[in-house]
Amino acid sequence: MASLFTPLALGSLTVPNRIFMAPLTRCRAGETHIPNDLMVEYYKQRASAGLIIAEATMAMEGHSAFWKEPGIYSAEQITAWKRVTAAVHAADGRIFLQIWHGGRACHPLLNHGAQPVAPSAIAIADEVRTPQGKQPYVVPRELHDDELPGIVAGFKQAAQNAKNAGFDGIEIHGANGYLLDEFLRDGSNKRSGPYGGSIENRARLTLEVLEAVSTVWGSDRIGLRISPLSSYNSMIDSDPIGLSIWLANRLNDFRLAYLHVLRGDVYQQQNGDVMTPIRKYYRGVLIGNFEYAPDKADHEIADGKIDAVAFGRLFLANPDLPARIRSGAAFNEPDPATFYTDGAEGYTDYSALHAS
């Protein structure tokens, strides 16, 4: 019977436990979007995760959605990420890079005045943090079909850059209301033609990205993250369960390292169980995410409902999370006030059980 501490094969990579670190945007890379010493230390501290999935990282220049998030499109960024991956590997860890395009969640104030792009010209009904304080999202420009091969090529180059930087694999970000998710869901994709309308058409861009990056890595070193129920960034779909089942079936063709599913909705606008139908139809490794307590995660792994869990806030505040779970020790509490600040406070200063 499997547990959180049972090794797991992710394609050609075997990880020692099933306590994964979820991708957590922390905005510590500065205005240049280049990883730095703080990030080296942060990821090294968390190397005991079965797998670290590093934060959302810009595949292409000019599509910043978070301000001070990292990128993987320049030689300087590749060199800087090499220091992160080397530190994680020296600590006997494994790390994938989540690569991403912000889509309509980008903002002109973060991108030298450039209008964001999206499947349809529909703005997010919220505000974004910028150098000029919180500002409303703007109406994006609808992408033309002939622009989409360039986006696919951008993801492919980012995949190659991640490989050059020493990562063990990549995760394609198809969740949380960013570009690929915007194409997937019919609340944000109102276009006609080959990339709109049916689920098959709406999934076309994501599948093309997966095909392209698979030529760089091989599909067994690639994960995909989706969030069919999440309403973050004004997202909604008329049939999230149907979308989940279609994707679960279609993704079997890729033999991915894993499918990573954010199972719920923090805003509770869409409810339902996507994990059960995905597990029924998807034949690969399934990672659950969103409000799993360790004991619940352990039970669901033992019952075969999921294969691993990606912990977010628990890993943010507990760099030695596997050791704490194994020993039954108390958890540090995360400090939301420091989630997106610049320094070490609330980032690399959370205590470990056995400080070195």
Side-chain angles (χ1 to χ4, degrees):
M1 183 182 295
S3 75
L4 282 170
F5 292 96
T6 304
L8 176 65
L10 305 176
S12 58
L13 178 70
T14 297
V15 300
N17 65 64
R18 302 176 185 221
I19 304 166
F20 291 7
M21 178 177 168
L24 297 163
T25 297
R26 303 303 307 278
C27 299
R28 271 11 186 234
E31 301 281 0
T32 61
H33 307 290
I34 298 174
N36 51 37
D37 290 346
L38 269 178
M39 292 173 64
V40 172
E41 178 63 20
Y42 174 73
Y43 285 114
K44 180 179 73 173
Q45 288 177 351
R46 289 155 178 81
S48 63
L51 178 70
I52 293 171
I53 308 169
E55 62 208 275
T57 298
M58 283 188 287
M60 290 153 272
E61 186 173 10
H63 300 288
S64 174
F66 265 104
W67 191 29
K68 302 182 182 180
E69 76 271 55
I72 190 64
Y73 50 79
S74 73
E76 293 82 4
Q77 290 164 343
I78 294 169
T79 298
W81 276 119
K82 283 181 179 178
R83 296 180 58 239
V84 173
T85 59
V88 170
H89 291 151
D92 199 27
R94 296 133 302 274
I95 183 168
F96 276 33
L97 182 66
Q98 188 188 68
I99 58 176
W100 146 92
H101 187 304
R104 67 178 184 174
C106 300
H107 193 279
L109 290 175
L110 304 178
N111 296 289
H112 307 290
Q115 184 182 13
V117 295
S120 301
I122 305 169
I124 296 171
D126 204 346
E127 294 181 325
V128 60
R129 181 172 166 262
T130 79
Q132 297 181 21
K134 287 191 173 182
Q135 298 291 328
Y137 284 101
V138 303
V139 176
R141 177 179 65 80
E142 182 172 319
L143 284 159
H144 301 295
D145 287 351
D146 62 7
E147 294 179 276
L148 299 181
I151 288 172
V152 174
F155 272 97
K156 181 178 178 180
Q157 185 60 57
Q160 182 62 61
N161 293 348
K163 194 170 191 179
N164 295 344
F167 285 94
D168 297 298
I170 58 171
E171 178 177 282
I172 299 301
H173 198 343
N176 294 352
Y178 303 113
L179 187 68
L180 297 183
D181 191 27
E182 292 162 19
F183 270 87
L184 281 172
R185 294 202 263 175
D186 60 17
S188 50
N189 184 345
K190 302 296 185 182
R191 66 196 293 125
S192 59
Y195 293 90
S198 67
I199 292 176
E200 181 178 7
N201 284 355
R202 300 198 314 269
R204 189 181 306 275
L205 183 60
T206 297
L207 299 179
E208 288 177 348
V209 167
L210 290 174
E211 289 167 359
V213 299
S214 293
T215 66
V216 175
W217 279 95
S219 61
D220 70 341
R221 289 297 182 106
I222 295 165
L224 173 67
R225 179 171 163 93
I226 60 172
S227 58
L229 296 179
S230 176
S231 60
Y232 180 68
N233 280 333
S234 298
M235 295 299 292
I236 197 164
D237 189 82
S238 63
D239 183 13
I241 305 301
L243 174 62
S244 300
I245 291 172
W246 190 95
L247 283 171
N249 276 304
R250 182 65 176 83
L251 292 172
N252 286 323
D253 296 338
F254 285 90
R255 299 184 181 274
L256 298 174
Y258 60 79
L259 176 61
H260 180 186
V261 181
L262 192 157
R263 63 175 177 165
D265 178 19
V266 69
Y267 298 105
Q268 300 300 314
Q269 292 181 16
Q270 296 187 108
N271 294 300
D273 173 17
V274 296
M275 301 305 289
T276 299
I278 289 174
R279 188 52 149 179
K280 179 178 179 181
Y281 293 100
Y282 184 64
R283 297 193 295 270
V285 172
L286 181 60
I287 301 173
N289 173 243
F290 188 70
E291 295 187 350
Y292 281 95
D295 57 347
K296 176 68 171 177
D298 204 48
H299 289 149
E300 297 218 353
I301 289 170
D303 290 343
K305 295 179 179 178
I306 51 176
D307 297 299
V309 170
F311 292 96
R313 290 191 176 206
L314 273 180
F315 240 126
L316 181 156
N318 297 276
D320 55 348
L321 182 61
R324 287 177 182 267
I325 292 173
R326 188 184 287 277
S327 68
F331 298 126
N332 298 324
E333 289 295 323
D335 177 12
T338 60
F339 283 177
Y340 309 115
T341 49
D342 290 328
E345 184 182 2
Y347 189 60
T348 56
D349 63 349
Y350 287 105
S351 64
L353 289 175
H354 306 291
S356 58

